[in-house]
RNA sequence: GGAGUCUUAGCUCAAUUGGUUAGAGCGCCGCCCUGUCACGGCGGAGGUUGCGGGUUCGAGCCCCGUAGACUCCGCCA
């Protein structure tokens, strides 16, 4: 036995009893005579006092303790001397006076301090096992556990069954780049790690499971971001005989339960809904952050017959003129202005027209082209006031929305509009387009995935090959401008599925080799079904108030997919490659 | 693949316009210290300023290249 109590347990009532504690030396205060140690375990701190007159031998031993040594102490729980109680600690009324001290493990000089902010993430990841001792990391991981458990409890309660699906699965060309795993038994062939358990969960529906979920590890071999790791965890859900409303209700309840468990807040439900078209039109984003307004305002009516060629021309060509009003941002710096202009051009605008409202004056190179009526219309429509910055875009509708949407979020960052906010703005974005044309590949691709069901009222447009107009029974759930997850109602009819594959340019031969099992399953009594996948890492990140999912993953990889602690990936033994029938081309590993 | 920011002691940072021997706090080592809780006091060690080149009488600072980290774009059905 190492301990009888943890380090956040002993109180006044325990005075006079004996206890054993074990943990890490958090801080030592060695007065030459008396020595104080704050002993830490995951629950808290308890002060340990070594006094030479009580036990000279143990006190002598204690002089050699250093930060982060792991020790075990046994002794009497004593009241602190009157006036030396520490009200900052729950255990601040007592201390332990050990008559036994056992050093379980000594710590070398620490690579970095645990009680201070360390900005060198590289270093933290190299010593991740050490970094995890920081209270914030411990809190994040324990909170992640609460959220995961709440997921299981909630879905279990709703009758969902957790089922594991294969990690060694099959590569499909659609979607993200696969991680491949060579097969030894069948040389020259490869498994793929799942990008998502998509096909398996649909096949479970054909298998009559009706309500499935999984805390599923997913793998995508794409470039990393603050909120993207090559392996990540999804709360994967699928159900039979459901409509989108059934999924919305379930997920709203689930997310409310998770935020209750993780953050102790009540999330109002149901969540507001926006169609994809509305979201793009009003916010220029399919995952709008609505904690600030700055709506994209359509100015088509105002400039229909304008003398200003840039606006008039865009409208005559069937495009749009829109603007956002960045309230109080007329005072932006030259640098910020340059950045916004560069951004606008990067997303396809020819330039960035603006009006600064300063000292009652509209400062702008374009305002001289506006009639008085146009100015008045602008003022009332955009609620223009002193100090505002109005930014315009005139182009094709989708370019205008994209440009202003990007500017909108960047300006909000510059103005720190959401800094320190604890607001939780959940919403559904529905009616995504089913397909998007890829100019690069000169073909239509699935926006969500190829199993997504077109909306019934758009089937005729599908038949007419008017793909641009076809909307999907697909939906995303968004929180504060972050996509938490997305899903859809699936296709369960083999002929419709074949039609979609054809539209996506999947040959009949490929349909058979890649998806034959699914198409056959759809001929053996497949129930209508649909589901969703939620990014667990992102949910936990937002609950924790972190800005990177690396802060809520025990052993994450860095920007280049390297585990700095274990140094994976690594080269492998020539013999391992031979067993797999693999030979490397000339490129030397770094 | 591209863009931006950054890289000075173990950690967090400083170093005026390009100018003496690159500093501070924390940590580390030694000595002292019996009621602290960021304990305190005295002393000490610790630097190829990421690396390579260039400009200059002189470079941590300017220029070029390169490596790495992070953020973003592309990519992520």
């Amino acid at each position: 036995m190492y301990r009888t109590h943890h380090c956040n347990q002993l109180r006044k009532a325990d005075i006079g009893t004996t206890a054993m504690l074990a943990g890490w030396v958090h801080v030592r205060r060695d007065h030459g005579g008396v020595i104080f140690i704050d002993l830490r375990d995951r629950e808290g701190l308890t002060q340990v006092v070594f006094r030479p007159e009580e036990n000279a031998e143990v006190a002598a031993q204690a002089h050699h303790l250093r930060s982060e040594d792991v020790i075990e102490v046994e002794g009497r729980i004593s009241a602190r001397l009157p006036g030396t109680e520490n009200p900052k600690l729950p255990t601040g009324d007592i201390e332990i006076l050990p008559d036994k001290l056992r050093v379980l493990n000594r710590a070398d000089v620490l690579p970095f301090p645990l009680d201070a902010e360390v900005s060198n993430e590289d270093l933290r990841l190299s010593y991740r096992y050490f970094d995890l001792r920081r209270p914030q990391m411990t809190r994040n991981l324990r909170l992640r556990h609460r959220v995961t458990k709440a997921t299981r409890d909630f879905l279990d309660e709703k009758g969902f069954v957790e089922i594991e699906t294969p990690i060694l699965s099959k590569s499909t060309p659609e979607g993200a780049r696969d991680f491949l795993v060579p097969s030894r038994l069948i040389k020259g062939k490869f498994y793929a790690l799942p990008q998502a358990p998509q096909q398996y969960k649909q096949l479970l529906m054909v298998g009559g499971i009706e309500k499935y979920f999984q805390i599923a590890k997913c793998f995508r071999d794409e470039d990393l971001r603050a909120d993207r790791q090559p392996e990540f965890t999804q709360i994967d859900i699928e159900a039979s005989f459901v409509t989108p409303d059934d999924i919305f209700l379930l997920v709203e309840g689930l997310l409310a339960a998770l935020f209750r468990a993780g953050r102790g807040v009540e999330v109002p439900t149901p969540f507001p809904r926006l169609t994809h078209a509305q979201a793009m039109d009003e916010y220029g984003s399919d995952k709008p952050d609505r904690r600030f307004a700055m709506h994209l305002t359509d100015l088509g009516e105002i400039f229909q017959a304008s003398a200003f060629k840039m606006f008039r021309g865009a409208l005559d060509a069937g495009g749009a003129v829109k603007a956002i009003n960045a309230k109080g941002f007329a005072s932006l710096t030259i640098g910020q202005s340059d950045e916004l202009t560069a951004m606008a051009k990067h997303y396809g605008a020819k330039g960035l027209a603006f009006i600064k409202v300063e000292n009652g004056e509209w400062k702008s190179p374009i305002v001289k082209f506006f009639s008085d009526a146009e100015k008045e219309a602008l003022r009332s429509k955009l609620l223009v006031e002193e100090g505002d910055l109005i930014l315009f875009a005139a182009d094709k509708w989708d370019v205008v929305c994209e440009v202003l949407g990007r500017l909108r979020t960047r300006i909000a960052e510059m103005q720190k509009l959401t800094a320190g906010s604890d607001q939780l703005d959940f919403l559904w974005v529905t009616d995504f387009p089913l397909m998007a044309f890829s100019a690069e590949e000169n073909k239509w691709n699935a926006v969500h995935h190829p199993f997504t069901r077109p909306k019934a009222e758009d089937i005729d447009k599908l038949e007419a090959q008017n793909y641009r107009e076809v909307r999907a029974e697909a939906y995303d759930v968004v929180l504060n401008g972050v996509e938490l997850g997305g899903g859809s109602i699936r296709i369960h009819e083999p002929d419709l599925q074949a039609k979609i594959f054809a539209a996506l340019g999947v040959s009949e031969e490929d349909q058979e080799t890649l998806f034959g099992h699914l198409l056959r399953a759809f001929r053996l009594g497949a129930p209508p079904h649909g589901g969703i996948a939620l990014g667990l890492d992102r949910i936990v990140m937002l609950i924790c108030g972190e800005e990177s999912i690396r802060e809520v993953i025990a052993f994450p990889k860095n920007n280049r997919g390297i585990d700095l602690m274990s140094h994976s990936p690594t080269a492998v033994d020539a013999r391992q490659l031979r067993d797999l029938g693999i030979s490397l081309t000339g490129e030397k590993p770094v």
Side-chain angles (χ1 to χ4, degrees):
Chain A
M1 185 170 68
Y2 289 100
R3 57 182 171 191
T4 56
H5 299 76
H6 61 68
C7 290
N8 193 15
Q9 197 170 1
L10 294 164
R11 297 289 186 272
K12 261 183 187 161
D14 300 296
I15 288 167
T17 64
T18 62
M20 293 173 73
L21 297 175
W24 288 262
V25 173
H26 188 62
V27 183
R28 97 197 118 90
R29 294 177 292 277
D30 185 339
H31 288 235
V34 65
I35 304 158
F36 301 94
I37 298 287
D38 288 343
L39 188 66
R40 184 194 74 235
D41 65 15
R42 66 175 205 181
E43 304 299 339
L45 296 173
T46 299
Q47 176 162 281
V48 184
V49 183
F50 297 95
R51 299 168 72 180
E53 65 271 28
E54 301 258 344
N55 191 323
E57 194 187 328
V58 170
Q61 221 186 331
H63 280 299
H64 298 107
L65 292 175
R66 294 293 177 268
S67 285
E68 298 304 313
D69 284 346
V70 179
I71 63 171
E72 175 203 312
V73 293
E74 179 172 3
R76 188 163 45 84
I77 306 308
S78 168
R80 292 201 184 186
L81 298 184
T84 68
E85 300 87 353
N86 186 346
K88 284 187 257 174
L89 290 182
T91 60
D93 288 327
I94 61 95
E95 57 200 19
I96 181 166
L97 301 171
D99 46 62
K100 278 187 201 154
L101 165 65
R102 192 147 72 104
V103 177
L104 303 173
N105 188 264
R106 291 227 178 253
D108 284 348
V109 174
L110 311 183
F112 52 86
L114 289 178
D115 57 356
E117 184 92 355
V118 176
S119 60
N120 190 343
E121 194 180 2
D122 220 18
L123 188 73
R124 288 180 53 206
L125 290 179
S126 301
Y127 292 93
R128 186 59 153 186
Y129 43 82
F130 181 70
D131 186 49
L132 292 178
R133 276 183 222 161
R134 291 165 56 236
Q136 180 156 328
M137 292 309 293
T138 311
R139 179 205 69 156
N140 288 357
L141 292 183
R142 293 180 77 174
L143 203 145
R144 183 177 177 128
H145 163 73
R146 300 312 318 164
V147 170
T148 308
K149 180 170 187 302
T151 301
R152 292 199 160 100
D153 290 345
F154 180 88
L155 291 171
D156 175 68
E157 167 73 19
K158 299 288 179 193
F160 282 74
V161 179
E162 184 169 15
I163 299 174
E164 291 168 90
T165 54
I167 294 295
L168 295 177
S169 55
K170 179 173 173 172
S171 177
T172 51
E174 297 255 5
R177 192 176 294 111
D178 284 319
F179 279 101
L180 295 177
V181 180
S183 162
R184 177 182 57 83
L185 295 174
I186 311 194
K187 290 212 173 32
K189 303 221 167 169
F190 295 82
Y191 302 99
L193 304 182
Q195 298 174 23
Q198 182 59 39
Q199 292 184 46
Y200 291 114
K201 70 174 175 177
Q202 291 190 241
L203 291 164
L204 285 170
M205 294 304 104
V206 180
I209 297 299
E210 297 199 21
K211 295 177 177 185
Y212 144 94
F213 84 101
Q214 182 177 192
I215 310 290
K217 263 291 177 80
C218 303
F219 306 86
R220 294 176 190 177
D221 188 6
E222 298 292 348
D223 286 6
L224 288 77
R225 288 284 191 284
D227 61 354
R228 270 166 36 190
Q229 285 271 306
E231 56 178 304
F232 60 99
T233 306
Q234 286 189 342
I235 302 169
D236 195 43
I237 297 173
E238 194 79 6
S240 297
F241 311 111
V242 289
T243 63
D245 282 330
D246 295 321
I247 302 288
F248 294 167
L249 186 66
L250 178 78
V251 171
E252 285 162 359
L254 172 61
L255 286 169
L258 300 191
F259 275 77
R260 196 178 300 128
R263 200 190 253 196
V265 295
E266 285 305 316
V267 173
T269 58
F271 302 160
R273 297 180 198 178
L274 281 180
T275 66
H276 180 265
Q278 284 172 328
M280 292 310 294
D281 198 51
E282 286 176 40
Y283 300 98
S285 168
D286 60 5
K287 46 178 182 176
D289 188 340
R290 306 181 315 152
R291 289 175 298 171
F292 48 91
M294 223 192 298
H295 292 97
L296 276 55
T297 305
D298 192 284
L299 305 175
E301 279 180 29
I302 299 179
F303 292 108
Q304 225 165 15
S306 178
F308 185 38
K309 277 187 198 152
M310 202 181 110
F311 288 2
R312 177 73 182 278
L315 290 170
D316 286 350
V321 176
K322 287 171 173 258
I324 52 175
N325 183 353
K327 302 300 285 182
F329 201 47
S331 55
L332 84 171
T333 64
I334 304 276
Q336 288 173 324
S337 160
D338 288 349
E339 184 186 332
L340 294 177
T341 304
M343 227 172 135
K345 286 183 180 165
H346 182 256
Y347 287 104
K350 286 158 199 84
L352 184 57
F354 65 90
I355 299 173
K356 280 186 190 182
V357 186
E358 281 180 317
N359 306 319
E361 203 184 323
W362 287 22
K363 296 183 182 168
S364 165
I366 60 167
V367 97
K368 61 182 176 234
F369 300 111
F370 294 168
S371 70
D372 287 345
E374 285 168 349
K375 281 191 241 179
E376 188 43 46
L378 271 183
R379 186 192 308 279
S380 69
K381 200 147 194 194
L382 287 162
L383 305 171
V384 179
E385 292 173 321
E386 175 68 20
D388 289 355
L389 174 71
I390 316 296
L391 295 162
F392 297 88
D395 211 304
K396 284 182 286 192
W397 179 83
D398 50 348
V399 172
V400 167
C401 294
E402 169 91 7
V403 166
L404 291 180
R406 297 280 180 167
L407 293 175
R408 179 177 173 273
T409 46
R410 183 69 189 113
I411 288 167
E413 262 173 53
M414 288 173 168
Q415 289 190 287
K416 300 190 167 64
L417 292 184
T418 58
S421 161
D422 60 356
Q423 198 187 335
L424 297 173
D425 173 49
F426 286 93
L427 80 148
W428 290 104
V429 178
T430 65
D431 297 7
F432 275 75
L434 185 72
M435 294 185 256
F437 190 76
S438 161
E440 199 179 307
E441 299 170 84
N442 193 35
K443 68 185 275 285
W444 289 90
N445 286 330
V447 166
H448 185 46
H449 57 54
F451 319 111
T452 304
R453 185 172 201 80
K455 282 184 91 81
E457 56 265 45
D458 291 348
I459 293 278
D460 51 334
K461 291 172 183 156
L462 181 72
E463 306 272 358
Q465 300 193 3
N466 183 10
Y467 297 142
R468 194 174 302 278
E469 304 269 307
V470 182
R471 292 165 301 164
E473 288 294 8
Y475 33 80
D476 277 2
V477 61
V478 174
L479 169 58
N480 295 350
V482 177
E483 180 194 331
L484 288 188
S488 62
I489 303 300
R490 328 296 184 187
I491 297 164
H492 64 277
E493 309 94 319
D495 49 340
L496 180 57
Q497 184 67 69
K499 246 177 239 168
I500 297 290
F501 281 142
L504 295 172
V506 182
S507 70
E508 282 192 27
E509 195 186 337
D510 282 351
Q511 287 180 37
E512 175 52 33
T513 52
L514 296 171
F515 305 110
H517 54 290
L518 196 69
L519 294 170
R520 271 188 294 283
F522 288 169
R523 290 194 195 93
L524 266 176
H529 59 283
I532 193 164
L534 304 169
L536 178 68
D537 311 276
R538 286 184 190 175
I539 291 170
V540 176
M541 173 183 88
L542 289 166
I543 291 178
C544 288
E546 294 286 1
E547 289 190 350
S548 162
I549 59 171
R550 292 188 296 268
E551 299 297 324
V552 299
I553 296 172
F555 299 104
K557 294 173 177 57
N558 78 355
N559 230 359
R560 290 198 301 152
I562 295 172
D563 177 348
L564 290 169
M565 184 185 69
S566 70
H567 303 112
S568 74
T570 59
V572 294
D573 202 86
R575 193 182 141 183
Q576 288 175 284
L577 291 176
R578 201 167 57 235
D579 281 351
L580 296 166
I582 288 178
S583 71
L584 297 178
T585 56
E587 277 184 59
K588 283 268 183 210
V590 184

